[in-house]
Amino acid sequence: HEVYRAEYVYDGMIHHYPKPYIPFMDGIVMGGGAGVSVHAPGRRIVTEKTMFAMPETALGLFPDMGASHFLAGAPGSVGMYLSLTGVRIGAADVIHANFAEHHMPSAARDDLIAALRAGEDADAAIARLSTDPGPSSLADISDAVERCFAADSLEGVIAALEAEEGEWAAKSLELVRAMCPFSQAVTFKDLRMDAGRTIEECLSTAFRIALRFMDRDDYFEGARAILIDKDNTPRWNPETIENVDPAEVDACFAPLGDRFKELAFE
């Protein structure tokens, strides 16, 4: 629990850090990598190598480190779509989702660092080196994403995907069903609840959920199946979204009581 505590407090510090904090997302950006980059709005940079995803529910976890703060703030239902499917997106889509502001070639990193060392204003250097990321595929499917992932419940998302025609809906439904059912239910509630909340409120909620997940089997089973044994056949408990107990989901969001101190920011 102290690892989570330190990580989440650090993520909160990044969000409010007064000096220029420039995340250069030049490669895989997932999980904790998103926490130390996306939480720093204003100077976030992506490149042609950027591969962004929130794959936590495939591991029996949830998009933690306060990710609900930026996921719930994505346009329309994009954040819910990315969270429940774990799909990977590139630079243009990351900018479309409001997770970054700037794009530049990977090779420009050294030029940016040299400019900053030479004393050039950070915003001026970034603007000078920025380039067009190209079209966003997320923008192309925004209407379908809204029709399916704006539902009032996780079951509603599934029903909407079942009713939606086309390959995208079929693939999305397959992904939603493949993830850990309990994780999906908690993630849905977390994003709906944290819309409009402060970064501290989102991180505090994530801390409560993370500690409750450490008392469950799903995360350890997901790590076994995907990262250790790599048989890709996790045995989730419960096995389906329809069998998730709403009371157990709600319990993940409850105050920690006497067992652990709540997350605090100084």
Side-chain angles (χ1 to χ4, degrees):
H1 67 282
E2 290 303 331
V3 173
Y4 283 118
R5 187 185 302 277
E7 179 186 2
Y8 295 177
V9 170
Y10 179 70
D11 289 333
M13 291 170 63
I14 288 172
H15 186 73
H16 296 293
Y17 199 62
K19 296 181 180 180
Y21 184 102
I22 306 172
F24 200 84
M25 294 182 264
D26 189 35
I28 296 172
V29 185
M30 300 180 186
V36 297
S37 53
V38 183
H39 282 316
R43 300 181 178 92
R44 301 169 295 185
I45 301 168
V46 288
T47 78
E48 76 278 7
K49 295 182 179 180
T50 301
M51 181 191 294
F52 182 98
M54 302 303 297
E56 287 83 358
T57 61
L59 287 170
L61 201 56
F62 70 105
D64 67 321
M65 44 74 199
S68 58
H69 186 259
F70 58 78
L71 289 167
S77 299
V78 165
M80 188 67 76
Y81 166 60
L82 297 176
S83 300
L84 297 182
T85 63
V87 295
R88 299 176 179 185
I89 59 175
D93 290 334
V94 174
I95 292 176
H96 174 79
N98 294 330
F99 303 157
E101 292 81 21
H102 308 281
H103 173 272
M104 65 178 62
S106 175
R109 181 185 61 181
D110 290 344
D111 294 334
L112 175 61
I113 293 172
L116 296 173
R117 284 176 172 166
E120 184 175 352
D121 176 77
D123 293 321
I126 293 171
R128 177 172 57 81
L129 295 168
S130 291
T131 56
D132 185 353
S136 164
S137 59
L138 275 180
D140 293 338
I141 61 171
S142 59
D143 290 344
V145 167
E146 199 61 24
R147 285 194 299 270
C148 296
F149 288 86
D152 292 334
S153 66
L154 183 54
E155 292 78 10
V157 169
I158 291 173
L161 286 170
E162 290 174 338
E164 185 80 13
E165 297 180 356
E167 182 179 349
W168 171 83
K171 181 61 176 179
S172 296
L173 179 60
E174 179 184 346
L175 289 171
V176 170
R177 284 289 195 188
M179 307 301 182
C180 173
F182 190 81
S183 294
Q184 295 287 64
V186 169
T187 297
F188 186 93
K189 179 180 176 68
D190 190 29
L191 263 64
R192 284 286 186 265
M193 187 177 77
D194 282 351
R197 287 190 164 194
T198 65
I199 182 68
E200 289 81 11
E201 290 171 324
C202 294
L203 286 165
S204 295
T205 299
F207 186 64
R208 291 178 177 179
I209 300 172
L211 297 195
R212 268 52 184 264
F213 268 50
M214 295 303 99
D215 291 332
R216 297 182 54 85
D217 294 334
D218 282 332
Y219 174 53
F220 302 98
E221 172 62 10
R224 179 207 64 77
I226 295 172
L227 302 178
I228 301 173
D229 295 340
K230 298 183 180 180
D231 56 26
N232 292 313
T233 57
R235 295 180 290 273
W236 304 125
N237 182 27
E239 295 182 351
T240 66
I241 289 172
E242 289 76 11
N243 288 329
V244 172
D245 184 350
E248 290 188 24
V249 173
D250 292 342
C252 291
F253 295 80
L256 295 174
D258 296 332
R259 184 179 176 190
F260 297 108
K261 292 181 179 179
E262 298 282 355
L263 199 65
F265 302 89
E266 297 179 358

